[in-house]
Amino acid sequence: MALAFSFENIASVYDAQRAHPPEVAAQIGQAIVGLTGSCASLLELGVGTGRIALPTAQAGGLVAGLDISAEMLALAAQRAKAAEVELALICGDAQHLPFPDQSFEAVLAVHVLHLLPDWRSALSEIVRVLKPGGLFVQGSDWRDPDSCVGRLRTQLRLAAIEFMPGSRPPGAGAALTSALARAGGTTSEPLVAATWVSSISPADVLAGMAARFDAETWVLSDTMLAAVMERVHAWAEATWSDLTEPEMVEQRFILNVTRIGTTEPEVMHS
């Protein structure tokens, strides 16, 4: 069973874990506005510190951001003020959205649904607040799975699953795709919003994991994280002769876009 988790615990390191280079952030914001249209009303679920919402607003989107963490929202507000960007920030639960029906032309979720206790309820709420023909945009960070980042994250997941059986994300894979189709959605081919390369060493990745930069570590107790990291570190030492040797890692930000209301929806159950 997953442990209770609060985003207040990781707000201070969230940007370090998820931050994009400035030019990449700008490309992502422009890509999102390119999909929704300039001045389109957009709700970002799990807005966090505003790493996606800010460049989207700067590119011309009318962005409202919802998050369950007051600490995250405070950081987002500080960043918006410093950048002189207008964001409407609301503290609330994605499973019970505090908005009327058909309030937004687009809803954005980046690394959010798999963290919710009931992602199906959140999806029902997304469909409810979208205008007819509105867009549900899912964003995700991709890192080369054959790089040190990808290989170590795979080991982290395997070790975490071994210590916490059944901890796979409930909103991942075919279940969400099928639910979107039942909601009357039509999903386009994934769009690569940005591609870039970073210099990262295995030691860098391990340090980030130990500091809870990776979402897979957020539900682990300190004792469990130490046990998981011991196993991952041993694997790394057996794999690389020099953990401090950097390598160039390709990264991408990918957008998966579903237009809701293009087919007759089935009755959705939470």
Side-chain angles (χ1 to χ4, degrees):
M1 178 180 294
L3 299 175
F5 171 71
S6 170
F7 280 97
E8 316 297 339
N9 298 332
I10 55 91
S12 62
V13 300
Y14 187 81
D15 278 344
Q17 187 258 333
R18 298 290 191 189
H20 297 124
E23 66 278 8
V24 171
Q27 290 177 42
I28 293 170
Q30 291 161 7
I32 292 171
V33 171
L35 290 169
T36 63
S38 182
C39 297
S41 57
L42 181 145
L43 169 66
E44 184 182 359
L45 304 180
V47 68
T49 60
R51 71 175 187 125
I52 307 297
L54 283 170
T56 302
Q58 288 170 325
L62 299 178
V63 183
L66 178 136
D67 206 285
I68 201 167
S69 167
E71 184 68 23
M72 288 279 202
L73 290 173
L75 291 174
Q78 291 173 13
R79 294 185 63 194
K81 182 178 180 180
E84 298 183 342
V85 173
E86 185 174 345
L87 289 180
L89 298 171
I90 304 99
C91 191
D93 184 351
Q95 298 160 129
H96 306 283
L97 294 177
F99 307 106
D101 295 355
Q102 301 182 13
S103 295
F104 298 96
E105 292 164 281
V107 174
L108 171 68
V110 180
H111 302 295
V112 171
L113 293 186
H114 68 279
L115 297 173
L116 300 175
D118 185 359
W119 63 267
R120 289 180 174 84
S121 289
L123 183 56
S124 294
E125 286 288 87
I126 290 166
V127 172
R128 181 182 65 78
V129 302
L130 274 173
K131 295 181 179 180
L135 299 181
F136 174 43
V137 183
Q138 297 179 80
S140 60
D141 288 281
W142 178 93
R143 299 171 180 85
D144 181 358
D146 295 324
S147 69
C148 63
V149 178
R151 296 171 71 187
L152 283 167
R153 293 189 75 190
T154 295
Q155 292 302 313
L156 175 67
R157 291 190 189 101
L158 291 174
I161 288 170
E162 184 173 340
F163 280 92
M164 295 179 63
S167 61
R168 290 179 177 82
L176 178 56
T177 301
S178 298
L180 285 168
R182 292 195 301 273
T186 300
T187 301
S188 306
E189 289 296 315
L191 169 68
V192 178
T195 301
W196 68 104
V197 176
S198 300
S199 176
I200 308 172
S201 72
D204 293 333
V205 181
L206 290 167
M209 290 176 175
R212 297 188 182 274
F213 289 2
D214 286 77
E216 287 85 352
T217 67
W218 295 350
V219 296
L220 301 177
S221 68
D222 290 344
T223 300
M224 195 175 297
L225 176 61
V228 167
M229 288 309 305
E230 182 178 1
R231 184 162 302 183
V232 175
H233 205 284
W235 183 88
E237 288 183 325
T239 303
W240 289 280
S241 58
D242 182 1
L243 295 179
T244 64
E245 180 69 26
E247 65 178 72
M248 302 308 292
V249 178
E250 181 183 351
Q251 302 186 60
R252 303 171 191 166
F253 192 80
I254 299 173
L255 299 172
N256 288 279
V257 184
T258 301
R259 188 172 296 277
I260 302 295
T262 54
T263 62
E264 187 67 26
E266 299 178 16
V267 177
M268 296 186 68
H269 300 284
S270 59

